[in-house]
Structures are given as C-alpha cells and as structure tokens.
Amino acid sequence: MQNAQKANVIASNTFQELERIILDTDIRIQLQPIVCLKSHEIVGYKAQANGPEGSELERSEDLFSAATEHELNDELEYAALVTALDIQHTLPEGKFLSIQVGSGLFLSKLFREIANLCQHIADDIAFELNEQVPLIELAFLEKQIKTVQEMGYRVILDVTRHGASNMERAQKLKPSVIKLCLESATLISTDPNEREIFNNMIRELGGQTELQVDCIENSAQLLMLEDLGIHLGQGQLLSQTNTLGSVFSQ
C-alpha cells in the first residue's frame, strides 16, 4: 500500500514538473553536428531537447519518456520546437537546424501556422519525424510532407527502428532524407538479402532522397557507410568537431 502511494506521489510530481517545463519552456537545446561524409564538412545540427540541468528529467530520453507516459508528447514537442527555432539564428551561416516532431504535431493546424510563420528561414530548417504512424494516417502524412517541402523545408524521416526490408513505406513518403540507425546499416552491409532490398530502394529513390545514419562511433563504420553510398552522418564520433579532419584521415 505504501509503495503504491509512493509511486502515485512520484508520478504526480513528474506530471507537475512536466507541465511546468512545458509552460515555462524550461528546455535546454544541445546541438549535435550532421556531417557530409563526402566533403567531411558540417552541414547542419540536430537540436536535442533536454530538461532542466540537474533534474530527474535532464536527459532527453527521460524527458520524452515521461511525456509519453503522461500523454504530453505533443505539448512537449511544441515547446521544444519553439525553443529550437529561437536559437536557429545563432547557427553558422548555411547550416540547417534539424528539429524533431511527432506525426501528431506535424499534421496539426498549429504546426501549419508555425511553418507559415517561419517560411522565411525554411532553407535553414529540417523537420525530423518518425515513420511510426497508423496506416490510416499515411496519406495525410504524405500530403503534408510534400506541402512542407514545397514551402522550402527539408523533411527527415527517422526509420531507425526499422530494417531495410521495412522501409518501403518510408520510400513512398518521399522525404528529403531517410535516417537509418547504425544497426540497420550494418545489417544491410552484411546480409545479401538486405543489401539487395537496399540497392533496389536506392534505384527507386533516383537521387531525390538522401540517406543519413545515426550513432557513428568509429572510423571503420565510416568506411562501411562509404561503401553503401550513404553520405550524411551523425553520432558521437562526428560530434568531435575540432578533430573532424583527423577522424576522416584515420
């Protein structure tokens, strides 16, 4: 009984803290470089939303996990989107900012208002969304992706939880960038069946959609990605911006 009461108190405190973070936009944005693996240059930055420093929700994973548990995902994503857009002007000229949004927010009237308001900086913004949406929403998502791209924005579709054999839906949505996890890229590199599916997808895309891989940690992985023809990368290794030259020369 006491354990249940304690759990309820913790959950209530977490909910109240989430509400405060959202209402006060008490969100810290950390930037992770997105690198062109061909030119070895930083082309953009991923905006990582974190909670207040020193709090139980400091880590991005904990912050969004709590939001999911308390059904405040859209509200938190909106607060993070506004916070990220507010720092876009501080980036080096010519570098885009990638901001994560869920399909619920992406398809909302509120998002359309923001996209219209910020269209003057559309070339410098990418919206990153997960492909995990109900089948019934796919047609709406495809239409919205096209609309947002026609406004000048990039759309990055994160399929990091899917292997190459499950990317057919992502391919049909025609985003600007399809983002894979390193595990999927490794599977494609080592499994002939996955490699064939991947090569077919590349041919179907016809150069209209770029490919990006997350979680790059060592130079051997860079060589693997080069062999696959993947030209955008993100991860711990590439976050060492002061040593990018040495990273690619290894």
Side-chain angles (χ1 to χ4, degrees), residues 188-204:
I188 293 166
S189 179
T190 56
D191 186 315
N193 291 329
E194 293 285 329
R195 183 65 175 263
E196 182 178 358
I197 293 169
F198 176 78
N199 289 338
N200 288 337
M201 184 192 75
I202 294 295
R203 284 192 290 270
E204 287 291 329

Side-chain angles (χ1 to χ4, degrees), residues 78-119:
Y78 173 73
L81 172 61
V82 170
T83 306
L85 286 171
D86 195 45
I87 68 165
Q88 183 277 328
H89 68 281
T90 67
L91 297 185
E93 187 176 354
K95 314 300 182 187
F96 69 86
L97 182 66
S98 174
I99 308 171
Q100 187 169 329
V101 295
S103 60
L105 178 59
F106 187 70
L107 293 171
S108 70
K109 179 181 179 182
L110 185 58
F111 178 84
R112 290 195 293 273
E113 292 174 353
I114 292 175
N116 287 332
L117 186 65
C118 296
Q119 192 172 3

Side-chain angles (χ1 to χ4, degrees), residues 69-80:
E69 181 179 350
H70 293 283
E71 299 182 348
L72 290 172
N73 254 342
D74 286 354
E75 291 83 355
L76 177 61
E77 287 171 0
Y78 173 73

Side-chain angles (χ1 to χ4, degrees), residues 19-55:
E19 281 193 321
R20 188 198 66 77
I21 289 171
I22 292 167
L23 290 172
D24 296 345
T25 56
D26 189 8
I27 294 170
R28 295 177 304 110
I29 299 294
Q30 291 182 323
L31 300 176
Q32 187 175 53
I34 299 171
V35 176
C36 174
L37 303 183
K38 292 179 68 177
S39 67
H40 309 168
E41 296 179 356
I42 295 174
V43 294
Y45 293 89
K46 168 70 180 292
Q48 188 80 31
N50 300 276
E53 190 171 5
S55 73

Side-chain angles (χ1 to χ4, degrees), residues 41-203:
E41 296 179 356
I42 295 174
V43 294
Y45 293 89
K46 168 70 180 292
Q48 188 80 31
N50 300 276
E53 190 171 5
S55 73
E56 293 184 358
L57 300 179
E58 177 178 359
R59 296 172 65 248
S60 181
E61 295 86 348
D62 296 331
L63 180 64
F64 281 91
S65 176
T68 299
E69 181 179 350
H70 293 283
E71 299 182 348
L72 290 172
N73 254 342
D74 286 354
E75 291 83 355
L76 177 61
E77 287 171 0
Y78 173 73
L81 172 61
V82 170
T83 306
L85 286 171
D86 195 45
I87 68 165
Q88 183 277 328
H89 68 281
T90 67
L91 297 185
E93 187 176 354
K95 314 300 182 187
F96 69 86
L97 182 66
S98 174
I99 308 171
Q100 187 169 329
V101 295
S103 60
L105 178 59
F106 187 70
L107 293 171
S108 70
K109 179 181 179 182
L110 185 58
F111 178 84
R112 290 195 293 273
E113 292 174 353
I114 292 175
N116 287 332
L117 186 65
C118 296
Q119 192 172 3
H120 63 289
I121 55 170
D123 287 345
D124 300 318
I125 298 294
F127 296 112
E128 179 178 319
L129 62 150
N130 292 326
E131 191 266 342
Q132 298 178 24
V133 296
L135 284 170
I136 195 171
E137 290 185 5
L138 280 179
F140 298 106
L141 189 61
E142 182 177 2
K143 181 179 179 181
Q144 178 72 330
I145 288 174
K146 183 178 180 181
T147 298
V148 170
Q149 287 173 324
E150 288 175 346
M151 293 176 71
Y153 295 99
R154 294 177 178 87
V155 177
I156 299 175
L157 198 59
D158 183 348
V159 295
T160 56
R161 293 177 178 84
H162 303 274
S165 57
N166 293 317
M167 288 195 295
E168 183 178 356
R169 291 202 311 177
Q171 179 184 334
K172 289 180 179 178
L173 291 172
K174 298 181 177 63
S176 313
V177 179
I178 294 178
K179 182 177 178 181
L180 309 173
C181 66
L182 186 65
E183 182 180 354
S184 293
T186 302
L187 180 62
I188 293 166
S189 179
T190 56
D191 186 315
N193 291 329
E194 293 285 329
R195 183 65 175 263
E196 182 178 358
I197 293 169
F198 176 78
N199 289 338
N200 288 337
M201 184 192 75
I202 294 295
R203 284 192 290 270

Side-chain angles (χ1 to χ4, degrees), residues 213-234:
V213 166
D214 198 2
C215 304
I216 301 172
E217 297 180 348
N218 60 60
S219 298
Q221 294 162 355
L222 289 175
L223 294 175
M224 175 191 69
L225 298 177
E226 182 180 356
D227 179 59
L228 291 175
I230 295 173
H231 297 143
L232 290 176
Q234 182 185 332

